[in-house]
Amino acid sequence: MAALCNQLNPERVVVGGKLAEADELLLGPMREAVRRYAIPAASDDAQVVRATLGERAELLGALILVIGKSDRAFSGRVRAAVGR
């Protein structure tokens, strides 16, 4: 994870799926490893958090893609909600 932070400089690392079920048992050591082994400029602001969407993540992501790509099928209010 520290190497990925060095390369990508993310603002947030979201841990999901089965790994998220471990919660702080996994996230605490992961945060410590990022803090210890990543370049400070790449890791100081990086947050390691648990995903909150659960099993719905894939479905919600697909739905947002469909809504974002469809100009005709949805009202202006829905398009505004997804930033289109």
Side-chain angles (χ1 to χ4, degrees):
M1 188 57 58
L4 288 173
C5 285
N6 288 340
Q7 293 175 0
L8 302 175
N9 194 15
E11 291 180 16
R12 182 172 296 138
V13 175
V14 180
V15 178
K18 295 292 183 187
L19 292 176
E21 293 175 13
D23 204 22
E24 285 304 312
L25 186 65
L26 173 70
L27 297 181
M30 188 179 290
R31 288 184 192 108
E32 177 61 24
V34 168
R35 185 195 63 75
R36 182 178 293 172
Y37 298 112
I39 298 167
S43 66
D44 284 348
D45 296 330
Q47 300 173 345
V48 178
V49 298
R50 182 176 188 241
T52 58
L53 295 178
E55 295 177 9
R56 302 178 312 154
E58 293 88 357
L59 176 62
L60 292 174
L63 183 60
I64 291 298
L65 285 174
V66 169
I67 290 171
K69 296 291 182 185
S70 178
D71 288 336
R72 295 183 303 171
F74 299 99
S75 70
R77 199 168 88 187
V78 172
R79 282 194 304 268
V82 296
R84 293 258 324 173

